[in-house]
Amino acid sequence: MSESPVKQWKTERIAAINKYLESEKRKDFIDDAYIESLISAESKPDQARVNDILAKTGELKGLSAEDTAYLLNLNDPETWARIFEKARFIKNEVYGNRIVLFVPVYMSSACVNNCKYCGFRSSNSGMGRKVLSEPEIRAEIKALTHSGHKRILAVFGEDGSSGADYIAGAMRAVYAEKNGPDEIRRVNVNAAPMFVNEYKKIKDAGIGTFQVFQETYHKETYKRLHGSAHIKSIYYWRLFALHRAQEAGISDIAIGALFGLYKWRFEVISLILHSLDMEREFGVGTHTIS
């Protein structure tokens, strides 16, 4: 019996990804053992070192993994009060007294992956699947702009029906929908990792921020939660997803982790290392960390 179109697309996609990864030259920047050693080391309050680290943040310079781990391991209320005070300073320096709202719009819920923590997982047979048509997208956007919204986060499942061409088309439909003087000015996208040529298609459609969350950077936990026979099972394909996005010219990218899947300190250090590695290669790190 031949494969269904969905299974055939998934099989071909996995084969193409594995072939691509054979020539991937980037070095894995997540050393699980090293990160574990950082977060397990007890930090004794040393005001000279704390002052030095906080001085770096005051100059809006990023912290190293080592400095970050040192602060995370402190258990001193007075020092943490100083850390929160510095965090408020940085927020105000970068963003000012400003809040930006966006609306998540789920464009497609079809997904071939089977993440244990996700309601959209492929094994959830009780869930209805939907891929919005252009008229449906425009109707959603009309309702949102009528309420005054200017920015959306377009969310896509990983499926052959919602690849780069569909994403680019959905973005153009969003921008094309005018409601008098009201319109969506920025479309951010949360979608599956792509190849460089696919990223270029959505860049040409006028993307704002592209986000891919690693979910968990801890390799054994990642494997346990994502299985071994799915596109999302391929850890390194996802780890370098945003490197490829920047390679395609999308400089506004967002990373993230789902706290609770593994040790939160491990994930924080990994997020720092992720951004630092992109800054090393491209001269710019992540725009957003979620």
Side-chain angles (χ1 to χ4, degrees), residues 54-284:
L54 294 184
K56 295 177 187 177
T57 65
E59 297 170 2
L60 302 184
K61 295 180 179 179
L63 297 183
S64 67
E66 293 78 10
D67 283 345
T68 303
Y70 176 78
L71 293 181
L72 293 181
N73 289 336
L74 287 171
N75 188 23
D76 175 51
E78 290 186 6
T79 301
W80 271 102
R82 293 182 62 197
I83 292 171
F84 282 121
E85 180 182 357
K86 188 63 69 173
R88 283 191 292 270
F89 166 80
I90 294 170
K91 180 268 177 190
N92 288 329
E93 284 292 301
V94 175
Y95 293 106
N97 193 19
R98 176 173 174 257
I99 296 175
V100 176
L101 300 178
F102 65 85
V103 179
V105 179
Y106 284 78
M107 301 290 186
S108 66
S109 59
C111 191
V112 299
N113 296 309
N114 199 38
C115 310
K116 290 185 177 181
Y117 49 81
C118 183
F120 291 114
R121 63 186 179 276
S122 58
S123 64
N124 186 3
S125 58
M127 178 186 167
R129 306 289 173 172
K130 180 72 174 178
V131 178
L132 295 183
S133 65
E134 181 175 335
E136 289 172 325
I137 292 172
R138 296 185 70 147
E140 291 286 334
I141 298 308
K142 186 174 183 178
L144 291 173
T145 55
H146 183 71
S147 300
H149 292 287
K150 305 295 184 184
R151 298 170 178 83
I152 69 164
L153 172 66
V155 184
F156 303 85
E158 184 160 22
D159 184 82
S161 63
S162 53
D165 290 329
Y166 173 77
I167 293 172
M171 291 173 57
R172 292 189 178 100
V174 170
Y175 286 128
E177 182 58 40
K178 310 294 183 183
N179 189 20
D182 298 324
E183 61 184 0
I184 297 297
R185 298 174 183 170
R186 184 180 178 92
V187 179
N188 301 326
V189 171
N190 182 311
M194 301 181 192
F195 291 97
V196 172
N197 66 309
E198 293 172 326
Y199 283 123
K200 289 180 178 179
K201 291 180 179 180
I202 64 171
K203 179 181 184 296
D204 290 344
I207 188 172
T209 302
F210 188 87
Q211 62 178 219
V212 173
F213 297 166
Q214 191 67 19
E215 322 295 19
T216 176
Y217 288 86
H218 185 252
K219 294 180 178 67
E220 284 301 316
T221 302
Y222 187 96
K223 180 179 180 180
R224 175 173 56 82
L225 294 173
H226 299 105
S228 59
H230 306 286
I231 297 173
K232 200 165 178 178
S233 305
I234 309 173
Y235 180 92
Y236 291 105
W237 173 247
R238 196 167 189 88
L239 186 65
F240 293 111
L242 294 170
H243 288 67
R244 295 190 300 276
Q246 290 206 7
E247 188 179 340
I250 302 175
S251 60
D252 204 338
I253 47 89
I255 61 178
L258 300 180
F259 283 11
L261 299 183
Y262 191 63
K263 301 172 185 176
W264 69 269
R265 289 181 177 84
F266 185 100
E267 307 294 8
V268 170
I269 300 301
S270 298
L271 289 164
I272 296 293
L273 291 170
H274 195 165
S275 187
L276 288 174
D277 195 74
M278 286 187 290
E279 187 172 339
R280 174 195 59 77
E281 182 171 345
F282 300 101
V284 59

